[in-house]
Amino acid sequence: MNAEVKKTAQTFRSVYMKEKSELNTLKVKRKIINCLEEKGYAAVDCDNQIDMVNREKVEEFCKAAEKEEQATVDIVQPNRDSLQY
């Protein structure tokens, strides 16, 4: 899983490096979430200020789970201190 987290973090590394001094702003959080969306990740911020992107993947997972079918989904949540995966 650690390798997957590192790969995911690379998705928004350029935003992180460019905006390092303003990471806690809503503007930068949106940029990071948008980067994750473009790469196909389901993502949401930790402060519940930005709508989840690629939520369809989560909805598909829930539908499969209701039918007791096997399914997986990854949800990424970048926050101030780390990347929740």
Side-chain angles (χ1 to χ4, degrees), residues 12-80:
F12 59 87
R13 188 177 198 289
S14 62
V15 173
Y16 177 84
M17 297 306 286
K18 189 176 177 183
E19 309 282 357
K20 218 177 216 184
S21 63
E22 298 182 36
L23 286 178
N24 256 346
T25 65
L26 186 57
K27 175 185 166 188
V28 173
K29 289 177 186 179
R30 281 189 201 282
K31 285 182 181 182
I32 291 171
I33 296 293
N34 289 340
C35 285
L36 292 164
E37 178 182 26
E38 288 172 9
K39 294 294 183 177
Y41 291 100
V44 66
D45 70 301
C46 65
D47 297 318
N48 200 26
Q49 295 179 311
I50 303 168
D51 290 340
M52 179 181 279
V53 296
N54 292 320
R55 71 180 191 292
E56 302 83 18
K57 293 181 178 198
V58 178
E59 291 170 349
E60 289 171 13
F61 169 82
C62 292
K63 287 176 185 175
E66 285 176 348
K67 296 177 186 175
E68 297 183 11
E69 297 173 352
Q70 193 168 20
T72 62
V73 67
D74 294 321
I75 302 172
V76 182
Q77 182 187 43
N79 64 41
R80 297 178 277 288

